[in-house]
Amino acid sequence: MDNLSIPADSPGGPDSTEQRIFDAAHDVFVQKGLDGAKMQEIADRAGINKALLHYYYRSKEKLYETVARAVINRAFPVIRKMLESDDPLELKISRFIDFYIDLVSGNPFLPLFVITEMHKHQDRFFETVLSGQLPQPEVFFQQVESAIAEGRIRPLDPRHLLVNMVSMCAFPVLGRPMIRVVLGQSQQEMSVFLGQRKAEVKEFIFQSIQP
Amino acid sequence: MDNLSIPADSPGGPDSTEQRIFDAAHDVFVQKGLDGAKMQEIADRAGINKALLHYYYRSKEKLYETVARAVINRAFPVIRKMLESDDPLELKISRFIDFYIDLVSGNPFLPLFVITEMHKHQDRFFETVLSGQLPQPEVFFQQVESAIAEGRIRPLDPRHLLVNMVSMCAFPVLGRPMIRVVLGQSQQEMSVFLGQRKAEVKEFIFQSIQP
DNA sequence: ATCCGGTTTAACTATTTGGTTAACGCCGGG
DNA sequence: CCCGGCGTTAACCAAATAGTTAAACCGGAT
């Protein structure tokens, strides 16, 4: 699996104080959100004095913004490349599912963080995401239309297909605690269950779109 | 459409102080979460003195718990009944999709609220907020197994089918702002798009599970 | 060796915020 | 009329927490 683990960013040396702060802030903000995060906890996790947070990042707001932008900038461009590649449709769908499920499984806090950020700070979110990394679904849509025309798949709205794909990959991580309890599973069983989904979702899709 | 809109609860007269507090708290908690909500803001929105919040609801925790329970109690029991009904499988799936999409469309804040609070305050969520309301999927699973045995649908894991169903219904509301921008749609077009999903998701599922 | 800048810290301040209290008003029963 | 209790309020309190400051540290340049 690629190195998709998110915290690996910008500043100074890879073990500089600034970097340690960023990493700690990333962990705390991503798990607890802007309101739930405490500066002291970030300082403790970074193993440094709280004043250094302000020395390097002025304010909680600024620190949060830095983290939020980094998370967004790391998640979206890869998805975009994947949608715009010239892999044939079936392979593209397969790779997309694999990649997306790996991504959210390896970063279980990512979907909730991104979605919360998208809702609570919409302006900043789209300003960030619109700077060149907005996924362009046109290529994918075109491929679907062609496959329909060729009779390789049944007629369907490619937009709904795309939304279905993303939904089935992202939601299970969002709803994991609920799903786990409803299915009566342990944490380990739940990890297995989520792993199964790569195959299961692909099968579900390919069965659905066949002519 | 049924009256699925959430805020309409318990106490006193429909315009009592207690009710006004509840409504204001509902709005604020749902929009900002437990951590982001401020008691003063709730009081202001209710147009009353902050001390009255404590007079009627003791503490922020209790007030939050009341609101969260009310939200959960309106959504989950119906889902549970739906899964446990003795409708034949195909009809049950169809009704489930219709109901779930109506529910989240009519209460777009609901999924994000439930998921956020479930993650951020897991213990309390499952112990006090959700006590007893857990959906029991056994009946549904049994029906799927029977349908497989009878050859009416292809062999598949009923757990993944259920997760797929919920995912495709709930996620589009969570990701709505993103989906809207990626598809280049207006708010109106987006509402239409989400409305189409009732038919589209059902078709997607039935095509997938057919033998 | 010493000066000097960036770095780091402990202690401090200011503000926010959940929660309390004591007084006031209002209204129905005696 | 007045008494008593529920409802309501302004003012207050205490804890938590973001942010500041002044002094100490430290390594390299002179």
Side-chain angles (χ1 to χ4, degrees):
Chain A
M1 185 188 317
D2 294 279
N3 182 8
L4 291 169
S5 43
I6 295 284
D9 201 50
S10 35
D15 207 63
S16 62
T17 298
E18 194 172 353
Q19 181 66 46
R20 306 240 319 269
I21 293 175
F22 178 90
D23 291 345
H26 177 277
D27 291 351
V28 176
F29 278 135
V30 153
Q31 289 186 40
K32 307 202 170 179
L34 174 58
D35 298 313
K38 306 295 171 232
M39 293 297 264
Q40 188 61 58
E41 184 182 352
I42 295 174
D44 290 346
R45 182 171 306 211
I48 50 95
N49 189 282
K50 180 168 69 90
L52 284 182
L53 302 187
H54 296 90
Y55 181 80
Y56 286 103
Y57 294 94
R58 295 196 61 88
S59 69
K60 185 183 186 183
E61 188 65 36
K62 288 268 191 199
L63 177 54
Y64 176 81
E65 185 181 324
T66 305
V67 170
R69 292 202 131 100
V71 169
I72 292 169
N73 283 330
R74 186 155 295 243
F76 282 96
V78 205
I79 292 171
R80 176 180 179 175
K81 278 215 182 68
M82 194 142 274
L83 278 183
E84 294 176 12
S85 85
D86 47 11
D87 289 334
L89 180 64
E90 286 80 358
L91 180 60
K92 179 180 286 196
I93 292 175
S94 183
R95 283 190 171 155
F96 185 89
I97 302 296
D98 285 338
F99 170 80
Y100 214 116
I101 289 186
D102 278 341
L103 176 69
V104 298
S105 297
N107 304 278
F109 296 107
L110 186 62
L112 183 54
F113 180 80
V114 170
I115 283 175
T116 302
E117 178 67 11
M118 179 172 75
H119 275 85
K120 304 275 163 76
H121 308 103
Q122 248 186 61
D123 295 347
R124 180 174 59 212
F125 177 83
F126 282 115
E127 177 203 318
T128 304
V129 87
L130 284 177
S131 56
Q133 33 190 279
L134 190 71
Q136 304 286 140
E138 305 311 331
V139 175
F140 176 79
F141 290 167
Q142 205 56 52
Q143 287 178 291
V144 173
E145 300 288 8
S146 298
I148 294 171
E150 293 167 21
R152 275 163 46 220
I153 67 175
R154 72 173 169 91
L156 47 58
D157 186 328
R159 300 172 306 164
H160 287 287
L161 172 59
L162 179 60
V163 170
N164 288 346
M165 288 165 54
V166 175
S167 297
M168 288 188 285
C169 293
F171 185 83
V173 170
L174 291 167
R176 174 174 176 150
M178 188 78 216
I179 295 169
R180 189 178 79 79
V181 173
V182 168
L183 297 185
Q185 293 183 335
S186 69
Q187 293 290 359
Q188 281 79 10
E189 290 169 328
M190 193 60 200
S191 296
V192 174
F193 179 78
L194 289 181
Q196 293 172 347
R197 286 191 63 76
K198 275 203 272 188
E200 199 77 35
V201 168
K202 282 187 277 187
E203 178 73 4
F204 195 84
I205 293 171
F206 288 130
Q207 286 293 336
S208 182
I209 67 179
Q210 87 198 341
Chain B
M1 189 190 311
D2 293 281
N3 181 10
L4 292 169
S5 44
I6 296 284
D9 202 51
S10 36
D15 206 64
S16 63
T17 298
E18 194 173 353
Q19 181 67 46
R20 306 241 317 269
I21 293 175
F22 178 91
D23 291 344
H26 177 277
D27 291 350
V28 175
F29 278 134
V30 150
Q31 201 188 337
K32 309 206 168 173
L34 174 58
D35 299 318
K38 307 297 172 226
M39 294 296 266
Q40 188 60 58
E41 183 182 353
I42 295 174
D44 290 346
R45 183 171 307 210
I48 50 95
N49 188 281
K50 179 167 70 89
L52 283 182
L53 301 187
H54 295 90
Y55 181 81
Y56 286 103
Y57 295 92
R58 294 199 61 85
S59 69
K60 185 183 185 184
E61 289 280 317
K62 288 273 190 195
L63 177 54
Y64 171 81
E65 195 180 309
T66 304
V67 169
R69 278 188 113 107
V71 171
I72 297 298
N73 282 337
R74 188 154 298 236
F76 276 67
V78 199
I79 291 171
R80 180 179 175 172
K81 279 214 182 69
M82 196 146 268
L83 279 182
E84 295 175 12
S85 86
D86 47 10
D87 289 336
L89 181 63
E90 288 79 359
L91 179 59
K92 180 180 284 195
I93 292 176
S94 183
R95 282 189 171 156
F96 184 88
I97 302 296
D98 284 339
F99 171 79
Y100 215 115
I101 290 186
D102 277 341
L103 177 70
V104 297
S105 298
N107 304 278
F109 60 85
L110 186 63
L112 185 55
F113 176 75
V114 171
I115 284 174
T116 301
E117 300 313 306
M118 179 172 72
H119 272 84
K120 303 278 162 75
H121 310 98
Q122 234 178 79
D123 293 347
R124 195 201 17 242
F125 181 84
F126 284 110
E127 283 165 25
T128 75
V129 175
L130 195 71
S131 60
Q133 307 294 3
L134 263 186
Q136 304 286 138
E138 305 311 330
V139 174
F140 176 78
F141 290 168
Q142 206 55 52
Q143 286 179 293
V144 174
E145 301 289 9
S146 299
I148 294 171
E150 293 168 20
R152 275 163 46 219
I153 68 176
R154 71 173 171 92
L156 45 59
D157 186 329
R159 300 172 305 164
H160 287 288
L161 172 59
L162 180 60
V163 170
N164 289 345
M165 287 165 54
V166 175
S167 297
M168 288 188 284
C169 292
F171 185 83
V173 170
L174 292 167
R176 175 176 175 148
M178 188 76 211
I179 296 169
R180 190 178 79 78
V181 172
V182 168
L183 298 185
Q185 293 183 336
S186 69
Q187 294 289 1
Q188 283 79 9
E189 289 169 329
M190 193 60 198
S191 296
V192 174
F193 179 79
L194 289 181
Q196 293 172 349
R197 287 191 62 76
K198 276 202 270 186
E200 200 77 36
V201 168
K202 281 186 278 187
E203 178 73 5
F204 196 83
I205 292 171
F206 288 129
Q207 287 292 335
S208 182
I209 66 180
Q210 86 197 343

